[in-house]
Amino acid sequence: MIKLYEYNICTNADKTIFLKQCNALEKHIPNLRKRQQLIDVDESITQIYMLEDKIITVHNSYYIGAVYVQSDVDLLPYFNSEVQ
């Protein structure tokens, strides 16, 4: 069973924060492969990434009103030095 990790980044939809989050993942996670970007009718955006066989998605959701990340893998170790 795959455990899904969720990280709430911002409590409002914000394209700038969404792009910064995507850039942070691309910078800090080696071997991360960028896949397709999905745009919904309400202009919500989902960026899909692959890390080996695991999926990581970054969401800028106007429906939910948030920027958040969902991942099949724990992302905190990649950012651990920044958290401390």
Side-chain angles (χ1 to χ4, degrees), residues 24-64:
L25 291 176
E26 292 169 18
K27 177 182 174 184
H28 291 279
I29 302 176
N31 303 316
L32 186 68
R33 292 176 290 145
K34 191 174 190 176
R35 296 299 187 203
Q36 69 267 34
Q37 187 177 85
L38 308 174
I39 301 174
D40 203 347
V41 294
D42 69 353
E43 298 185 19
S44 295
I45 305 170
T46 299
Q47 178 61 59
I48 301 172
Y49 294 95
M50 296 295 296
L51 183 62
E52 298 173 10
D53 62 341
K54 308 296 185 202
I55 299 173
I56 301 168
T57 55
V58 182
H59 303 267
N60 183 41
S61 174
Y62 290 101
Y63 178 74
I64 294 175

Side-chain angles (χ1 to χ4, degrees), residues 1-13:
M1 183 171 127
I2 296 174
K3 181 175 181 181
L4 182 66
Y5 296 87
E6 238 185 83
Y7 306 93
N8 295 315
I9 308 303
C10 183
T11 57
N12 293 305

